[in-house]
Amino acid sequence: MSRIAAGTIVLVDWRSGAVPREPTKVRPAIVVEDHELFPEDYPNTLVVPLTRDEGLAHAAFAQRIDPTPENGANETSWALAHHVTSVSLQRVQPTPSRVTSKQLAGIRAHAALALGVSDS
């Protein structure tokens, strides 16, 4: 299986091994890693979760994702860049949906800000 391209919307199964305040079901997320940096057999990928709950979307760290045919969303969602995490590829199911390159750049910028590595 080849690496999942950045910007691809995936479904992540967080049902096992979760601790309080972590997702405990299959949830959408966006791959944010540069797949060309990792070898094909690397077992994890970097994602940010998607939510429809604007209350969870801290303005400085969330990217608004409005519905489009390309992303398959039915309503506005938020990419929670401050929740960037590494997940096992065994938990990930790719979808044909994806965000735009502009949205991906925004998510990465928000993640960099949350990690303290941004020039902003």
Side-chain angles (χ1 to χ4, degrees), residues 70-109:
E70 292 78 21
N71 66 32
N74 295 325
E75 56 188 278
T76 298
S77 297
W78 300 90
L80 304 179
H82 58 298
H83 286 255
V84 64
T85 191
S86 176
V87 296
S88 169
L89 286 169
Q90 292 180 11
R91 293 181 180 259
V92 173
Q93 176 186 344
T95 73
S97 303
R98 56 182 300 106
V99 296
T100 67
S101 57
K102 183 177 179 181
Q103 289 168 326
L104 177 61
I107 294 165
R108 287 174 167 169

Side-chain angles (χ1 to χ4, degrees), residues 15-26:
R15 290 180 288 194
S16 63
V19 295
R21 308 290 296 164
E22 290 184 331
T24 56
K25 56 186 174 181
V26 176

Side-chain angles (χ1 to χ4, degrees), residues 18-42:
V19 295
R21 308 290 296 164
E22 290 184 331
T24 56
K25 56 186 174 181
V26 176
R27 302 285 307 151
I30 300 170
V31 174
V32 294
E33 75 177 34
D34 182 341
H35 65 280
E36 294 178 355
L37 295 177
F38 295 89
E40 286 294 319
D41 60 349
Y42 190 73

